[in-house]
Amino acid sequence: MSENHEYSGPIPDKSSLSLRGDCENCFGLCCASLPFAASADFAIDKDAGQPCHNLQSDFRCGIHTSLRQQGFRGCTVYDCFGAGQKVSQVTFGGHDWRQAPGSAKQMFEVFPIMWHLHELLFYLTEALALQPAQSIHDALRSALDETERLTLLSPDSLMELDVAAHRADVNALLLRTSELVRAEASRQQKNHRGRQKTYGRGADLVGANLRGADLRAANLRGAYLIAADLRGANLRVADLIGADFRDADLRGADLTESIFLTQAQLNAAKGDVNTKLPPSLTRPAHWSTL
Ligand code: SF4
């Protein structure tokens, strides 16, 4: 699989399949490993390590085409960043947990660890494509190499990994990347009035009226934008890492050149044909029905 390659210099493509879920090569790990609670996003409770009752013997979802209608909206907004196929095909060498039930517990526990590592690979890959951050590209490349190396560890070594510490190191680089990119964007905005908008990590913007807001180069890291009205907002070069867009209204919003935006964030939001997206992301199918 493509995940086996070692990074060797050129800036990788963020949209490459190795950083996107490939269900064909995964043993249904997100559907077995992760817990969920009955809510607006999930119709049932499920414990971690308990395979979902909709997961078929071929590791396909039995209600894939009607997840939203059947109360499993949360499944449609999840992205494993390629961790599922990495664990299935590389870490466990293509031996699935139904054929080798003795490996199931460890495989289900390794999956969330791999998810964290692949999420970091996704962000680091994007950071390496951002020219204003060129001064730290060497550090970003080293972090990418190290993260890739960690994904190739054995199951036992992955279980012992201090993911939080590695994540903190990488996050410092991503934060610096964000500062460099947004500062450059602000310099280029000839008619930009005032300072970059900074809400701080985890800002509470739930239900906020941000219709038509000028959020260019804003820091929205981890902001809670649940059900916020962002219609027509300008979010170019805004840092959107970890922002919660559930039910946020992005119709007509401009997200081109926003940084650290994921497909899962988009899938959780509302939008339309007038929402402008970064080229590496795709318009969610359910937007066409809004
Ligand atoms: S409903 Fe389908 S996609 Fe969601 S956890 Fe169950 S099997 Fe997986």
Side-chain angles (χ1 to χ4, degrees):
M1 286 184 62
S2 56
E3 289 80 12
N4 285 322
H5 76 274
E6 289 288 331
Y7 179 72
S8 59
I11 293 170
D13 177 5
K14 193 177 79 168
S15 63
S16 67
L17 289 177
S18 62
L19 296 179
R20 283 192 178 174
D22 175 8
C23 303
E24 295 282 327
N25 284 299
C26 176
F27 302 143
L29 296 183
C30 61
C31 307
S33 168
L34 305 178
F36 46 69
S39 62
D41 288 330
F42 296 103
I44 57 169
D45 289 316
K46 186 183 92 58
D47 292 332
Q50 172 199 339
C52 174
H53 68 266
N54 290 317
L55 187 64
Q56 300 177 154
S57 58
D58 60 358
F59 302 114
R60 303 288 182 84
C61 172
I63 59 168
H64 178 68
T65 56
S66 58
L67 283 165
R68 284 180 176 262
Q69 296 89 322
Q70 298 206 39
F72 287 86
R73 183 178 65 164
C75 301
T76 69
V77 304
Y78 181 76
D79 186 356
C80 78
F81 298 105
Q85 67 259 30
K86 177 68 80 61
V87 172
S88 299
Q89 303 299 335
V90 178
T91 316
F92 285 84
H95 303 292
D96 75 63
W97 51 269
R98 289 200 205 274
Q99 290 174 324
S103 68
K105 183 173 184 296
Q106 190 174 44
M107 196 181 293
F108 297 159
E109 289 176 0
V110 162
F111 173 70
I113 297 167
M114 189 66 79
W115 180 87
H116 282 293
L117 295 174
H118 266 244
E119 185 189 36
L120 295 178
L121 288 178
F122 179 89
Y123 291 137
L124 286 165
T125 301
E126 175 168 346
L128 276 165
L130 298 170
Q131 287 308 308
Q134 198 158 22
S135 62
I136 62 167
H137 274 191
D138 284 350
L140 289 166
R141 282 195 181 91
S142 295
L144 185 70
D145 284 346
E146 175 61 7
T147 307
E148 181 71 26
R149 186 188 71 78
L150 294 176
T151 69
L152 300 176
L153 292 174
S154 68
D156 286 344
S157 297
L158 281 163
M159 298 277 287
E160 291 171 3
L161 191 64
D162 188 347
V163 181
H166 182 65
R167 197 177 176 89
D169 291 343
V170 172
N171 191 49
L173 284 173
L174 298 177
L175 192 53
R176 183 65 187 137
T177 301
S178 169
E179 290 167 352
L180 291 167
V181 171
R182 291 184 298 108
E184 176 63 21
S186 290
R187 272 194 291 277
Q188 290 180 1
Q189 289 165 11
K190 293 181 181 151
N191 299 319
H192 188 65
R193 291 188 293 273
R195 291 151 51 84
Q196 293 170 354
K197 291 181 177 60
T198 298
Y199 293 95
R201 181 153 190 89
D204 184 358
L205 294 168
V206 175
N209 181 5
L210 295 167
R211 186 172 186 176
D214 181 359
L215 297 168
R216 286 176 294 173
N219 180 1
L220 289 163
R221 295 173 71 86
Y224 292 97
L225 288 156
I226 301 164
D229 184 355
L230 287 156
R231 284 176 290 174
N234 189 340
L235 289 146
R236 294 175 79 106
V237 203
D239 183 349
L240 304 177
I241 196 167
D244 191 337
F245 279 104
R246 280 177 292 167
D247 289 328
D249 195 341
L250 291 170
R251 285 177 290 173
D254 188 352
L255 295 144
T256 52
E257 298 180 272
S258 61
I259 59 174
F260 303 137
L261 179 66
T262 68
Q263 189 65 48
Q265 286 171 296
L266 276 187
N267 292 351
K270 300 172 183 171
D272 63 11
V273 292
N274 296 314
T275 307
K276 294 179 183 149
L277 305 178
S280 61
L281 301 180
T282 56
R283 200 171 303 278
H286 71 273
W287 284 11
S288 61
T289 61
L290 296 173

